[in-house]
């Protein structure tokens, strides 16, 4: 291919010149092909190419351009083959060489050649629709090399590649580590030894960076079966972070089916950027930065960081310029100081009114002033690229303003003021008939009580309003707290733009006043931003979800009355109805989570302190940002944090860790502590203080507090003999945690009822406990927790996957003859097929095939395209080119519910029959496959589809048949023509229902199977021929098939005569006029029949004397009536002997085919509608031929097929093995 000209200093090094002229040189790489310096040189050059990442390994030919007086050469083309490079060389000689002699100046020649080559490349890209991307030529080369080395398709995108050593045993192999979206790959070629390694990210169970005395920097990658060690990295931190990120994406895909989608909105690459960075790598880096940014400032999850810069911020409260970093994103400007706790700031662009550049001075270089709606002004200085920054902020401001205007236009016409909307919606929601009992109770309550409806006030406010308030020391303390916060707001600002400092944290640790909780929870959690940017969203959601029922709403109804039942606010229908609305609305917003136990407890507390809409957005912040994956069906997030807690316990309370592990207490306690934020295990008034700190400081608070609880009970726990005793110790301690500042009347705590009647634990002050947790364990950092979470997430998700596999295998092991080991291997192959289609696309949507919330057996399902791949590898009947049509038939038979997907049980049921079934079961399966009506490619044409449907059902039950009343053991299905007309495709589900009886203990009667009509019989013959085409006993099987086919043809003809003799005379006469029959073309021209393969089957309309069924035609109607059994026997005998005589030629296997002419008779006359055979006839005919009996009865080596399937996955198709694999080839 032509390449953009690059200069080469040493043209002769490791290259041999093959052709040359004054301007161009064609060269070949030393050691490539025969000759070229001998074997030793070839090995050395090959090794150098791999180690130095040379493109010569992939393109061993090149063309250089050089002017006669210059020492600099330019590479203008390279090629993988001599043919390709020769074509380029000849084009240069014919089109360019003569033109170059015209030029006088060498510089002009160079410019002309470069321009010409670039023009050719541009023209090629235009003609072949090659899209421009940000990737450099060097990286594109590496991508091509990666795909060629590991057999990856175009869809598998390379992210980056690194030079490193792979330790194979005790020997390091220097090579290249390739990290792509779905795989980690390694390639090395050293002195003739080639090593390849491919590991799927989804199979990694552990990924860690470690250091030893011998190897200071090592990355260890573990799977279920192997451990791989890589070392000698130039930049180990970058490599490890990228590997971590890619493994995380794979885990996310296993968890909730969210695959990787590239962000196309990234800015273009700058010229100074490093050459090797790919667009994907930049995308992933940008994602990682945005994630850290969102977590640091609690921003909505779709916020993308645009950039950050060092600067100073003037803080008016202490009259200082604080050094820190400014972050700018689409909707926010944020600041954090270099000293972590000094000051942080969040300015939403929706609040900004003015952005202006102030005058520079020595004291204040490059200042920038930002003013907000609540009359606060922020002064930033020491900005390096102020003009560019102002331009970016202006662009984002413009977008924000247009969004706000649009929202106002949409909502402005509907309502006059926000308060009015709330009250309208509130009364509407209160009286909504969402729950028959609830609506009545609530209506009555609202009529009797004059308070504002539920939607506009926190439940605690209403609850306290009805109880008389007396002035006491606790209320005085509460009043003091409120005043302290008001003073703080006056000094540091109020609302989202407040300066957040160490003083803010101090106030939070002292406890947030009851009246301010909702407002401050909303502020610190970041929920205020989502609520401000989604006006009316919650009301719409409530309206949509009202009256809708699903599994989530059923669970919600069941748990409503278990949510803080001890609190008066939830002892009446008003609180219950509000809780129902919030939980149901969230279940409809996020169906992946829906509803999970523990959400009701947390939400009920949110409703006590926040308005209904605010409580909803706080729940969104909790479930989607602050406690990720906590409340999904498998509480993965809580299990991950449980693992993190175990790690922290080992580090911070090592003397207790071993004891707790032996008792198994950590896993038991931590789940309820984390899921409900201590609300279910502590007295209510104490637990809300924990929630205060959690919303301010995040998950680290829960870890700190949990460690403090363990630390405080260290001696009692060490003396415990079993987990029950340890649970009692911890339960009594948590029950004794009190909040002496609480102004609430005491609320009985249900958890205390479960503890023993021993001496009550001395009271523990919640504020002292929280403060001591910060003093002892405050060093735990959020970024360290994230690092530990990643490690635990790998472990938890892989454990869940293993549990799923075990449960699936345990469920079906009793239904099949496969061993447990075989089933596990097959399950891994089945799952791998699903995963690969997620990576590289399939014919159906992966989210439809993998739903982690479904029962174990249904979690992974495959469609017909994936089934074809497994069919070819595992099923004994698969046979090269002819396998696909049979695989499609098999798939339709296994797909019992007709959703075009099959689960593992259905897959195993089919494979089990082929591997362990007896001859009758296998033949019955083959027969069933062909009785199903075919889905034709003409589905778009309703007429032909209708004709096919009508024809199929007429064959099963001919309407003219008088014998249909008699019970002859065959199922007859009658459809009215009106119904059939409505179908665009034949409905075969009815037949699947008939055969579903097989799952019952009683054995299926073979007489229950429908008859096989003539077109289906043709397909069955095609299948048999294709099945045997590569078998060892191919000749014998073809002979046997020919004999059986002719035998069945005669049976069908005889059956037709029986049917026609009892039908009306008119039908009989019509039958006499046109008597098409199917036959074996033994007298055909050999040349013609050889050209027509098993797929080209024709029906010949021949006269009776030419067919093997001629004797059947000679029997009169009277004879048939008189002695049907005798005539049937004699006809069969005669027919088979006559056919045997015809089949004596040696080359029968090559010549004998059934042929169908596409340009033959019309549909109505080319198929004999009255012709049919039964399963018993088919079975009996096959049993007459020993070769066929032997073929269907021969044992199948399942283990060998599974091993072969795994090996093919490794080196054949681009689909990879069940786990990871290595290939070592000697060169």
């Amino acid at each position: 291919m032509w390449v953009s000209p690059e200069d080469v200093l040493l043209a002769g090094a490791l290259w041999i010149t093959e052709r040359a002229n004054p301007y161009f040189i064609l060269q070949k790489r030393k050691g490539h092909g025969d000759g070229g310096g001998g074997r030793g040189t070839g090995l050395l050059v090959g090794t150098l190419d791999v180690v130095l990442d040379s493109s010569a390994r992939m393109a061993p030919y090149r063309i250089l351009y050089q002017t006669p007086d210059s020492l600099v050469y330019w590479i203008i083309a390279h090629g993988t083959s001599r043919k390709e490079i020769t074509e380029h060389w000849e084009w240069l000689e014919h089109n360019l060489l003569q033109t170059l002699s015209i030029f006088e100046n060498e510089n002009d020649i160079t410019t002309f050649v470069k321009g010409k080559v670039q023009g050719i490349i541009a023209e090629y890209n235009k003609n072949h629709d090659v899209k421009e991307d940000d990737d450099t030529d060097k990286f594109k080369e590496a991508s091509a090399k990666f795909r060629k080395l590991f057999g990856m398709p175009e869809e598998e995108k390379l992210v980056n590649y690194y030079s490193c050593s792979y330790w194979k045993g005790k020997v390091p192999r220097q090579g290249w580590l390739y990290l792509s979206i779905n795989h980690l790959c390694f390639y090395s070629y050293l002195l003739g030894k080639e090593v390849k390694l491919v590991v799927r990210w989804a199979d990694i169970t552990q990924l860690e960076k470690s250091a030893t005395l011998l190897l200071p920097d090592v990355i260890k990658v573990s799977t279920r079966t192997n451990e791989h060690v890589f070392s000698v990295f130039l930049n180990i931190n970058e490599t490890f972070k990228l590997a971590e990120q890619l493994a995380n994406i794979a885990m996310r895909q296993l968890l909730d089916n969210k695959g990787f989608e590239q962000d196309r909105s990234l800015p273009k690459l700058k010229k100074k950027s490093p050459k090797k960075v790919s667009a994907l790598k930049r995308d992933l880096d940008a994602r990682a930065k945005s994630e850290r940014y969102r977590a640091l400032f609690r921003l909505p999850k779709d916020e993308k960081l645009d950039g950050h810069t060092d600067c100073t911020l003037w803080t008016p409260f202490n009259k200082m310029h604080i050094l820190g970093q400014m972050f700018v994103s689409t909707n926010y400007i944020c600041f954090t100081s270099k000293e972590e706790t000094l000051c942080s700031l969040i300015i939403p662009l929706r609040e900004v009114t003015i952005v202006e550049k102030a005058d520079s001075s020595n004291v204040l270089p490059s200042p920038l002033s930002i003013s907000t709606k609540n009359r606060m002004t922020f002064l930033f200085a020491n900005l390096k690229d102020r003009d560019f920054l102002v331009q970016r902020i202006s662009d984002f401001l413009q977008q924000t303003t247009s969004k706000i205007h649009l929202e106002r236009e949409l909502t402005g016409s509907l309502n006059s003021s926000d308060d009015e909307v709330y009250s309208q919606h509130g009364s509407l929601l209160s009286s909504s008939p969402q729950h028959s009992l609830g609506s009545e109770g609530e209506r009555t309550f609202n009529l009797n009580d004059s308070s504002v409806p539920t939607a506009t006030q926190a439940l605690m406010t209403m609850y306290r309003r009805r109880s008389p308030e007396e002035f006491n020391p606790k209320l005085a303390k509460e009043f003091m707290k409120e005043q302290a916060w008001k003073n703080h707001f006056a000094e540091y600002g109020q609302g989202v733009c407040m300066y957040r400092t160490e003083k803010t944290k101090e106030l939070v640790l002292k406890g947030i006043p009851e009246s301010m909780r909702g407002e401050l929870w909303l502020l610190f959690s970041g929920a205020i931003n989502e609520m401000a940017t989604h006006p009316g969203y919650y009301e719409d959601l409530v309206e949509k979800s009202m009256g809708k029922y699903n599994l989530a709403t059923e669970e919600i109804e069941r748990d409503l009355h278990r949510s803080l039942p001890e609190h008066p606010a939830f002892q009446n229908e008003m609180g219950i109805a509000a809780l129902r609305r919030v939980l149901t609305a969230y279940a409809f917003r996020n169906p992946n989570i829906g509803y999970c136990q523990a959400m009701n407890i947390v939400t009920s507390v949110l409703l006590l302190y926040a308005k209904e809409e605010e409580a909803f957005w706080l729940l969104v912040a909790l479930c989607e940002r602050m406690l990720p994956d906590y409340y999904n069906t498998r509480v993965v997030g809580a299990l991950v944090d449980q693992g993190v807690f175990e790690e922290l316990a080992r580090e911070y309370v090592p003397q207790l860790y071993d004891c707790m592990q032996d008792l198994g207490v950590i896993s038991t306690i931590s789940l309820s502590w984390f899921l409900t934020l201590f609300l279910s295990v502590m007295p209510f008034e104490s637990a809300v203080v924990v929630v205060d700190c959690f919303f301010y400081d995040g998950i680290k608070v829960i870890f700190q507090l949990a460690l403090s609880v363990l630390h405080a009970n260290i001696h009692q726990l060490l003396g415990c003999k079993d987990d029950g005793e340890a649970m009692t110790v911890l339960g009594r301690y948590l029950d004794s945690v009190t909040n002496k500042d609480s102004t609430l009347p005491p609320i009985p705590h249900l958890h205390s009822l479960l503890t023993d009647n021993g001496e009550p634990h001395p009271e523990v002050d919640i504020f002292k406990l929280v403060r001591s947790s910060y003093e002892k364990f405050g060093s735990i950092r959020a970024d360290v927790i994230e690092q530990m979470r990643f490690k635990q997430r790998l472990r938890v998700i892989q454990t869940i996957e293993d549990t799923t596999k075990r449960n699936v295998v345990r469920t079906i092991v009793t239904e099949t003859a496969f061993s447990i080991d075989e089933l596990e291997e097959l399950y891994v192959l089945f799952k791998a097929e699903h995963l690969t289609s997620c990576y590289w696309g399939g014919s159906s949507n992966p989210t439809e095939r993998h739903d982690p919330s479904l029962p174990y057996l249904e979690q992974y399902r495959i469609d017909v395209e994936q089934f074809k791949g497994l069919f070819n590898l595992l099923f004994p009947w698969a046979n090269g080119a002819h396998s696909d049509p049979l695989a499609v038939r098999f798939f339709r038979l296994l797909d019992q519910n007709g959703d075009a997907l099959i689960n593992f049980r259905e897959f195993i049921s089919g494979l089990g029959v082929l591997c362990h079934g007896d001859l009758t079961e296998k033949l019955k399966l083959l027969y069933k496959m062909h009785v199903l009506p075919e889905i034709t490619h003409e589905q778009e044409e309703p007429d032909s589809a209708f004709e096919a449907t009508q024809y199929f059902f007429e064959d099963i039950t001919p309407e003219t048949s008088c014998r249909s009343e008699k019970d002859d053991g065959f199922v007859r299905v009658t459809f009215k023509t009106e119904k059939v007309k409505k179908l665009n495709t034949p409905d075969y589900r009815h037949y699947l229902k008939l055969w579903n009886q097989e799952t019952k203990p009683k054995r299926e009667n073979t007489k229950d199977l429908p008859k096989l009509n003539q077109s289906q019989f043709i397909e069955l013959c095609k299948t048999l021929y294709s099945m045997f085409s590569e078998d060892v006993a191919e000749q014998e099987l073809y002979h046997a098939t020919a004999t059986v086919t002719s035998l069945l043809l005669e049976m069908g003809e005889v059956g037709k005569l029986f049917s026609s003799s009892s039908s009306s005379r008119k039908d009989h006469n019509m039958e006499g006029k046109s008597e098409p029959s199917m036959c074996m073309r033994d007298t055909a021209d050999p040349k013609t029949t050889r050209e027509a393969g098993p797929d080209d089957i024709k029906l010949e309309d021949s006269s009776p004397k030419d067919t093997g069924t001629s004797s059947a035609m000679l029997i009169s109607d009277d004879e048939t009536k008189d002695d049907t059994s005798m005539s049937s026997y004699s006809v069969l005998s005669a027919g088979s002997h006559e056919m045997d005589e015809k089949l004596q030629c040696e080359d029968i296997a090559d010549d004998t085919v059934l042929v169908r002419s596409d340009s033959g008779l019309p549909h109505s006359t080319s198929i004999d509608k009255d012709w049919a055979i039964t399963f018993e006839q088919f079975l009996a005919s096959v049993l007459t031929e020993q070769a066929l009996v032997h073929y269907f009865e021969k044992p199948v080596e399942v283990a060998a097929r599974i091993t072969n399937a795994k090996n093919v996955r490794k080196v054949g198709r681009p689909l990879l093995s069940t786990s990871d694999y290595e290939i070592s080839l000697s060169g």
Side-chain angles (χ1 to χ4, degrees), residues 574-595:
M574 188 179 179
I576 296 291
L579 183 60
R580 179 187 294 118
R581 283 193 293 271
V582 173
L583 289 173
T584 309
Y586 187 76
F588 274 80
R589 168 190 164 86
N590 190 344
N592 287 340
I593 290 177
Y595 170 76

Side-chain angles (χ1 to χ4, degrees), residues 116-161:
K116 194 72 179 169
V117 171
Q118 282 163 345
I120 293 168
I121 294 167
E123 186 67 26
Y124 175 86
N125 290 350
K126 186 181 173 186
N127 293 341
H128 291 77
D129 196 27
V130 176
K131 291 176 184 174
E132 277 191 40
D133 55 27
D134 286 346
D135 292 345
T136 58
D137 290 339
K138 181 77 175 166
F139 192 83
K140 285 177 191 168
E141 209 175 88
S143 291
K145 192 188 297 186
F146 159 73
R147 279 195 282 272
K148 187 171 179 183
L149 285 172
F150 303 105
M152 297 287 179
E154 284 288 327
E155 294 88 349
E156 183 66 5
K157 302 290 184 192
L158 179 66
V159 181
N160 214 350
Y161 60 107

